[in-house]
Amino acid sequence: MSRIGKQPVAIPSGVTVTVDGQDVKVKGPKGEVASRLPVEVSARVDDGQVLVERAGDGSRDKAMHGLARSLVANAVEGVTAGFTKKLEIVGVGYRAEASGRKVKLNLGYSHPIEFPVPEGIEVKTPSPTVIEVSGADRQVVGQVAAELRGLRPTEPYKGKGIKYEGEHVRRKAGKTGV
């Protein structure tokens, strides 16, 4: 049996979980997250916790068992605490400014970049070189952070670009004069 899949997901107070076939909806103080479970597993709410069960003992069934339990646990954690990714901008003149549902980025190109923020996601810029992406859905938060990072990935020679907080960029020496 899957070690992750067999663990029940506790439902904290103030959170409601609705299971309708393969669809699981979780509502809480930070918002609502809906996810569709794989066909190999089923979920049920029992005694203040969500139990995920699988149909068979095949290798795919076991893999989907752990995945489905993690999706439900991430949804419950997202609507109670939320998820946050921090990005750092390195480079002279590189900066970001969040205004409304857009983030304006100056990343060394000939023009500023306007990045639209999707619904359910909040982007803050506590300083011009730090971007905080937060929301209830872990997958969407990670996707938005990856798209922002993809606008100017960190290059290995000078270390300029956008990187995750705590990410280590391996530096290269560059050319050597003879």
Side-chain angles (χ1 to χ4, degrees):
M1 191 167 205
S2 171
R3 291 182 191 176
I4 295 172
K6 69 181 177 182
Q7 298 172 355
V9 179
I11 303 172
S13 61
V15 175
T16 59
V17 178
T18 311
V19 179
D20 182 28
Q22 298 304 108
D23 296 323
V24 177
K25 290 185 182 175
V26 183
K27 277 188 188 173
K30 295 259 183 185
E32 179 179 342
V33 177
S35 70
R36 186 158 183 77
L37 299 180
V39 295
E40 292 86 1
V41 296
S42 62
R44 62 184 168 92
V45 179
D46 184 37
D47 219 22
Q49 53 191 10
V50 181
L51 299 170
V52 179
E53 297 157 343
R54 67 174 187 252
D57 281 334
S59 63
R60 180 164 168 81
D61 295 335
K62 291 177 183 177
M64 294 300 119
H65 191 203
L67 170 74
R69 192 261 178 210
S70 293
L71 290 175
V72 173
N74 286 341
V76 170
E77 185 181 343
V79 298
T80 54
F83 293 100
T84 302
K85 288 260 189 190
K86 288 187 180 180
L87 299 165
E88 297 172 349
I89 303 173
V90 179
V92 177
Y94 288 17
R95 61 186 177 277
E97 179 187 348
S99 58
R101 303 296 305 160
K102 291 188 186 266
V103 179
K104 185 178 176 185
L105 299 137
N106 292 328
L107 300 173
Y109 296 119
S110 61
H111 59 284
I113 298 169
E114 296 247 336
F115 183 84
V117 178
E119 283 299 318
I121 298 296
E122 186 178 336
V123 177
K124 295 183 209 166
T125 50
S127 74
T129 59
V130 176
I131 303 171
E132 289 182 0
V133 181
S134 58
D137 193 342
R138 185 176 192 163
Q139 293 173 333
V140 178
V141 168
Q143 183 65 37
V144 169
E147 287 174 5
L148 281 168
R149 184 181 181 276
L151 295 173
R152 178 68 95 166
T154 308
E155 53 96 16
Y157 297 102
K158 292 186 179 179
K160 294 165 54 172
I162 302 175
K163 64 178 185 167
Y164 293 113
E165 182 183 50
E167 179 184 4
H168 177 71
V169 178
R170 198 158 167 205
R171 303 291 292 271
K172 291 184 179 179
K175 292 184 179 180
T176 57
V178 176

